[in-house]
Amino acid sequence: MLKLIIPTIMLIPTTWFSSNKMIWINSTTHSLLISLITLPFLNHNNENSTTTSPNFFSDPLSSPLLMLTTWLLPLMIMASQHHLSKEMYTRKKLYITMLILLQLFLIMTFTATELMMFYIMFEATLIPTLIIITRWGNQPERLNAGLYFLFYTLFGSMPLLIALTYIHNSAGSLNLLLLPFWTQISPPLWSNTLLWMACMIAFMVKMPLYGLHLWLPKAHVEAPIAGSMVLAAILLKLGGYGMMRITIILNPPTTPMAYPFLILSLWGMIMTSSICLRQTDLKSLIAYSSVSHMALVIVAILIQTPWGFTGATTLMVAHGLTSSLLFCLANSNYERIHNRTMILARGLQMLLPLTATWWLLASLTNLALPPTINLIGELFVMMTAFSWSNITIIFTGLNMLITALYTLFMLTTTQRGTFTHHINNIKPTFTRENSLMLMHIIPLLLLSLNPKMTLGFFH
Amino acid sequence: MNPTTLFAIPMTLFSGTMLTMLSSHWLLIWAGLEMNMLALIPILMKKTNPRSTEATTKYFLTQTTASMLLMMAILINMTSSGQWTITNMDNPSATSLATLALIMKLGLSPFHFWIPEVTQGIPLTSGMILLTWQKLAPISIMFQLAPLLNPYIILTSTALSILVGGWGGLNQTQLRKIMAYSSISHMGWTTAILMYSPSTMILNLSIYILLTLTTFSMLTIYANHTISSLALLWNKNPLIALAISLTLLSLGGLPPLTGFLPKWIIIQEMMKNNSIITPLFMTIAALLNLYFYMRLIYSTTLTMLPTTNNIKTKWRFESTKQTLLLPTLLILSTFLLPLAPITPILN
């Protein structure tokens, strides 16, 4: 794994020592090269993981997320070029350094063997994200957004620290490769309930679960484009990944304990999708749609069947790419009219037809059109939920319907209809923006052809 | 100042603490504490305004009370056991009194009221010495007395200190008071594992001293006393602004910075002794501390003038203050977490 971590650390001196006109070129190219290194990790011949060292490993669950992380860094750097163009060179380099640090911590999170290392890196991702949101966001609300983001996550992860230390003391080790062999018959005591809650709350906040999701619209909306991309694509998946890892050891209490969270997720799916129908702010709509998709992932993980885990992994990767793409599109709107209101830039299909293609493809993947991996993920989750209880089909089916509704609402509002007169002097699409969208869409379409590598453990 | 005094006062300060740390006779320990306090008085009074006088008087009164309580404990011990060795203190009233006295010396709750007011009235470098060096002597006594001290008093004051340190700092704008409440909170964490593992207490104290020295060194460069003066720091010295932010994040206990290490080890040690709910509430109360550090970080680095603040700019003078070993301190206070695997030597 060091072949991934050391080049990522070395990206930081690359950025700082580049000449001023080569900052973007150097960082984008080298981060793309680093993402090529993660490709071999996707090759899994059997269910055993690629154990590379006592500290780092990768298995069919973490390698798609790792690939997503490293793929996203060049995209983030490409997306940030415009809004940083007027900054001083030192600040540009500082911004890119924050993104690189974030990628470093994320790589170490996804490949950690010890749960304590996972925890430390999980918390470590908060600092660069906080700096990106509060320092480079655009509105004064970003200060509150940063505080909400930091404190919601920290309130959840302090009990996780306590729970991990407790498990370390009683099991002897927190190594993920050893934990599946630690069998403990846990009687239904209050303390086991509390332990379960302590382990799961951090990931519930991160995912986010419907009742604990208040930080997400704030943080996603106020963050600059790279911040929104990484938040939606990867940081939410940290919660899902953590939940999948920690449920190995939490098994007997999970069956009764998961009920309230399952109900909350099922209801929250519908609620947040319905809120999307009433949003005026484009980024806010995409943020709430993230909550809705992640609620499906929570449902899948808590039911704990093989198809559920497969669906969760697929949905995480698919949603990562789709949400990031939608944020890039929303950002291209924002950079032209400096406003996030949807109705201010309508009828863009007339003016920017290629971007309209990207909007169409993004919307189609967001509403889980066959045969994209979004559909595979959602379908697997629906089937898992149906097997758990037949009534959930009402919720998941209604959710698919409302998702389609708001996605088409977003598409038709921004693209169709007559355009407003004040936008007839916007700049045409840059090649950089087109290649950015392309680099989001191509993995999505190619994965639809061969979803095997994102199906996680049980393909 | 007279060169003799300039030498004698720090020398007395140093030798007072050394005397306390190195002796095993109660009388000499007490004498060391007194030397310490008396030598600090002129350091606190560097500026002779009424504010400093009041602060110094408050310091003197509380420390004397604590010393007298300690003397009472020593005498009770003397009359009941007939000897002056520090490690043989069997009388429960002696140990309880000694616990109370040491808590008062350190500034833990419920005897914390003097710390913000004293720290506020004195110059920044004196505050630095007050909050770092002065903790060494009482902690060394507690380290030696660890199995004998009254656990109920210790745990109560720990819990109260962490809460008071968190809540008290929320309404402050003066940096010295913020550092004072941070000191109360960190001393709470330090005494938390006194009962279980005194060597971890030394780890916590040393990292706390490291972080506080770093913070104060950076604050003295431009004599920043208020949050609003920190807001202008990025203009004069952007590197120091960034460094203050990192150090404050470390003080707040965020991974992957050094400040997380003592909290992690303390939680581990407490859990090994089956204390689970206490560390949970301690860590959540430490988030209050993090909130006011975040406020400082917001005004220092994360928001940019002149878009958000209406602050009167100050004259830009050349900074003539000496900052001893600042790069070393800075690196140590942020990047020491990967050395965590050496912590088993504490056992």
Side-chain angles (χ1 to χ4, degrees):
Chain A
M1 210 55 60
L2 276 182
K3 61 179 174 279
L4 199 51
I5 294 178
I6 300 279
T8 312
I9 298 178
M10 284 298 133
L11 265 182
I12 302 179
T14 312
T15 322
W16 281 96
F17 290 136
S18 306
S19 68
N20 286 335
K21 55 185 165 79
M22 293 289 284
I23 306 175
W24 298 110
I25 302 176
N26 273 340
S27 45
T28 319
T29 326
H30 289 98
S31 46
L32 264 176
L33 287 174
I34 291 178
S35 71
L36 283 181
I37 305 179
T38 47
L39 277 177
F41 285 117
L42 289 171
N43 181 27
H44 294 284
N45 297 322
N46 48 26
E47 288 91 43
N48 295 328
S49 53
T50 319
T51 309
T52 51
S53 88
N55 302 313
F56 298 115
F57 82 123
S58 94
D59 69 359
L61 171 57
S62 63
S63 50
L65 294 169
L66 195 58
M67 184 71 230
L68 191 59
T69 314
T70 49
W71 183 244
L72 217 70
L73 182 61
L75 270 55
M76 287 195 279
I77 298 179
M78 277 164 65
S80 316
Q81 281 187 22
H82 185 262
H83 77 92
L84 288 178
S85 54
K86 301 260 175 27
E87 297 244 8
M88 292 165 28
Y89 288 114
T90 317
R91 296 215 183 115
K92 285 185 197 172
K93 291 178 183 174
L94 203 56
Y95 189 78
I96 300 178
T97 312
M98 285 297 123
L99 294 178
I100 296 171
L101 265 183
L102 189 54
Q103 152 135 330
L104 178 67
F105 291 140
L106 282 167
I107 293 175
M108 290 173 82
T109 318
F110 283 126
T111 54
T113 43
E114 281 274 336
L115 278 177
M116 269 322 275
M117 170 81 135
F118 170 79
Y119 174 80
I120 294 180
M121 292 301 144
F122 177 79
E123 298 284 292
T125 57
L126 291 177
I127 299 182
T129 320
L130 176 75
I131 296 180
I132 293 175
I133 295 179
T134 46
R135 176 63 181 76
W136 276 281
N138 284 317
Q139 276 77 30
E141 287 84 13
R142 71 189 193 278
L143 304 174
N144 218 10
L147 280 176
Y148 263 69
F149 167 68
L150 187 68
F151 282 98
Y152 262 71
T153 317
L154 281 177
F155 259 106
S157 52
M158 288 304 165
L160 178 63
L161 178 62
I162 305 286
L164 283 179
T165 321
Y166 174 75
I167 296 173
H168 190 122
N169 285 337
S170 52
S173 156
L174 277 178
N175 200 323
L176 276 172
L177 303 170
L178 293 178
L179 278 180
F181 302 109
W182 178 57
T183 53
Q184 193 186 46
I185 318 288
S186 36
L189 301 169
W190 269 111
S191 52
N192 281 324
T193 310
L194 285 177
L195 182 66
W196 193 94
M197 292 279 291
C199 288
M200 291 296 228
I201 286 286
F203 304 119
M204 298 288 186
V205 170
K206 200 77 176 164
M207 288 255 16
L209 184 64
Y210 175 58
L212 301 165
H213 69 290
L214 282 180
W215 64 272
L216 189 134
K218 289 183 161 55
H220 275 78
V221 166
E222 302 302 332
I225 177 60
S228 292
M229 284 168 76
V230 76
L231 267 171
I234 310 286
L235 289 175
L236 301 188
K237 310 339 183 222
L238 271 182
Y241 175 76
M243 257 206 267
M244 284 202 246
R245 290 292 186 204
I246 208 135
T247 46
I248 303 173
I249 49 178
L250 287 179
N251 206 28
T254 309
T255 333
M257 277 303 296
Y259 270 103
F261 298 100
L262 274 168
I263 305 299
L264 207 50
S265 295
L266 288 169
W267 183 238
M269 259 186 332
I270 309 288
M271 286 307 292
T272 44
S273 307
S274 318
I275 292 177
C276 285
L277 283 172
R278 301 285 297 169
Q279 286 295 324
T280 53
D281 185 336
L282 188 55
K283 276 179 97 162
S284 191
L285 193 151
I286 307 172
Y288 275 108
S289 93
S290 285
V291 180
S292 166
H293 287 277
M294 286 298 111
L296 269 174
V297 175
I298 297 182
V299 166
I301 299 176
L302 285 177
I303 299 184
Q304 297 204 307
T305 60
W307 276 42
F309 273 35
T310 311
T313 323
T314 319
L315 194 52
M316 285 203 289
V317 174
H319 172 258
L321 287 168
T322 311
S323 218
S324 177
L325 175 58
L326 281 170
F327 273 116
C328 288
L329 288 168
N331 184 56
S332 69
N333 251 1
Y334 180 78
E335 283 172 1
R336 286 168 174 77
I337 60 176
H338 286 291
N339 198 314
R340 292 193 299 260
T341 317
M342 261 196 298
I343 56 174
L344 280 185
R346 286 171 301 183
L348 287 175
Q349 190 172 6
M350 280 294 186
L351 299 170
L352 304 171
L354 185 55
T355 318
T357 316
W358 306 135
W359 271 104
L360 179 68
L361 283 174
S363 307
L364 291 179
T365 49
N366 196 22
L367 52 91
L369 193 77
T372 58
I373 45 175
N374 302 62
L375 175 79
I376 297 179
E378 283 202 27
L379 207 57
F380 275 35
V381 175
M382 282 175 74
M383 289 192 276
T384 310
F386 189 69
S387 78
W388 177 72
S389 155
N390 293 2
I391 308 178
T392 57
I393 193 79
I394 304 176
F395 291 98
T396 46
L398 197 58
N399 181 47
M400 283 196 89
L401 175 66
I402 304 183
T403 307
L405 282 175
Y406 71 72
T407 316
L408 289 176
F409 165 58
M410 178 175 67
L411 184 65
T412 53
T413 314
T414 51
Q415 305 301 116
R416 309 291 171 130
T418 63
F419 53 85
T420 50
H421 290 292
H422 58 263
I423 60 168
N424 54 8
N425 56 352
I426 56 175
K427 296 200 174 78
T429 325
F430 299 108
T431 313
R432 172 186 61 86
E433 290 174 346
N434 280 329
S435 55
L436 184 63
M437 312 306 170
L438 199 69
M439 286 169 80
H440 274 108
I441 273 289
I442 290 202
L444 266 177
L445 297 177
L446 288 177
L447 279 173
S448 316
L449 293 178
N450 186 4
K452 193 171 62 149
M453 62 190 74
T454 57
L455 286 180
F457 271 109
F458 302 103
H459 64 271
Chain B
M1 213 197 279
N2 189 354
T4 320
T5 349
L6 203 56
F7 172 73
I9 292 177
M11 197 64 209
T12 323
L13 191 64
F14 179 75
S15 47
T17 312
M18 283 295 118
L19 189 59
T20 310
M21 285 165 75
L22 298 173
S23 17
S24 53
H25 191 282
W26 260 124
L27 207 52
L28 281 177
I29 293 176
W30 183 86
L33 283 175
E34 291 299 295
M35 280 168 69
N36 214 359
M37 173 191 58
L38 285 174
L40 196 66
I41 302 285
I43 297 181
L44 298 184
M45 280 287 290
K46 258 197 226 170
K47 297 210 162 68
T48 51
N49 48 32
R51 192 72 181 267
S52 293
T53 317
E54 183 187 334
T56 318
T57 320
K58 281 180 187 159
Y59 178 74
F60 177 75
L61 286 174
T62 40
Q63 296 284 305
T64 325
T65 317
S67 297
M68 284 300 115
L69 277 175
L70 192 59
M71 183 48 107
M72 174 110 186
I74 297 171
L75 290 174
I76 295 179
N77 182 36
M78 162 66 195
T79 51
S80 74
S81 65
Q83 47 82 40
W84 296 90
T85 318
I86 183 173
T87 44
N88 293 337
M89 217 175 183
D90 291 329
N91 193 331
S93 48
T95 52
S96 309
L97 268 175
T99 318
L100 282 176
L102 290 169
I103 288 177
M104 215 187 281
K105 280 257 178 219
L106 279 177
L108 289 171
S109 251
F111 306 114
H112 65 277
F113 294 97
W114 59 277
I115 295 207
E117 299 166 21
V118 173
T119 321
Q120 181 58 31
I122 56 183
L124 274 171
T125 32
S126 312
M128 177 163 74
I129 300 178
L130 175 72
L131 292 180
T132 51
W133 185 259
Q134 290 301 95
K135 311 290 181 197
L136 284 177
I139 293 279
S140 71
I141 305 178
M142 282 176 124
F143 180 80
Q144 290 171 308
L145 280 183
L148 304 168
L149 295 174
N150 189 335
Y152 298 111
I153 301 182
I154 297 273
L155 276 177
T156 318
S157 69
T158 299
L160 274 177
S161 308
I162 300 178
L163 286 174
V164 162
W167 261 307
L170 286 181
N171 201 21
Q172 306 300 334
T173 53
Q174 295 285 329
L175 290 177
R176 286 170 288 182
K177 276 199 175 157
I178 288 182
M179 293 311 292
Y181 282 105
S182 136
S183 145
I184 298 174
S185 179
H186 280 271
M187 284 301 113
W189 277 88
T190 313
T191 46
I193 27 91
L194 178 60
M195 298 284 105
Y196 304 124
S197 166
S199 24
T200 318
M201 178 173 74
I202 303 292
L203 173 77
N204 193 358
L205 184 70
S206 24
I207 295 188
Y208 164 70
I209 288 181
L210 189 65
L211 291 172
T212 314
L213 276 177
T214 319
T215 317
F216 269 104
S217 306
M218 290 190 287
L219 290 178
T220 49
I221 302 178
Y222 290 104
N224 292 308
H225 293 302
T226 55
I227 301 185
S228 46
S229 68
L230 275 185
L232 296 161
L233 198 55
W234 72 273
N235 225 341
K236 294 184 222 174
N237 196 340
L239 206 54
I240 296 289
L242 185 63
I244 287 189
S245 309
L246 273 181
T247 317
L248 283 172
L249 280 174
S250 189
L251 253 184
L254 277 188
L257 303 169
T258 314
F260 177 65
L261 181 63
K263 293 196 161 61
W264 179 20
I265 303 295
I266 289 178
I267 292 174
Q268 239 183 354
E269 290 299 318
M270 289 183 86
M271 306 278 298
K272 282 184 193 162
N273 288 289
N274 286 322
S275 160
I276 302 183
I277 301 291
T278 316
L280 181 63
F281 284 113
M282 277 163 62
T283 49
I284 296 188
L287 289 179
L288 285 167
N289 255 335
L290 186 64
Y291 180 74
F292 55 81
Y293 298 142
M294 281 312 299
R295 212 168 26 200
L296 285 180
I297 297 173
Y298 269 22
S299 56
T300 317
T301 43
L302 294 181
T303 54
M304 216 168 72
L305 276 183
T307 50
T308 45
N309 295 326
N310 295 319
I311 296 173
K312 277 195 264 197
T313 52
K314 298 205 282 194
W315 283 108
R316 296 183 183 209
F317 294 116
E318 266 302 309
S319 161
T320 51
K321 302 280 171 55
Q322 266 185 344
T323 51
L324 205 56
L325 288 179
L326 187 56
T328 318
L329 283 177
L330 199 52
I331 297 292
L332 284 180
S333 52
T334 45
F335 294 131
L336 219 51
L337 191 64
L339 287 185
I342 64 167
T343 46
I345 66 169
L346 292 170
N347 302 327

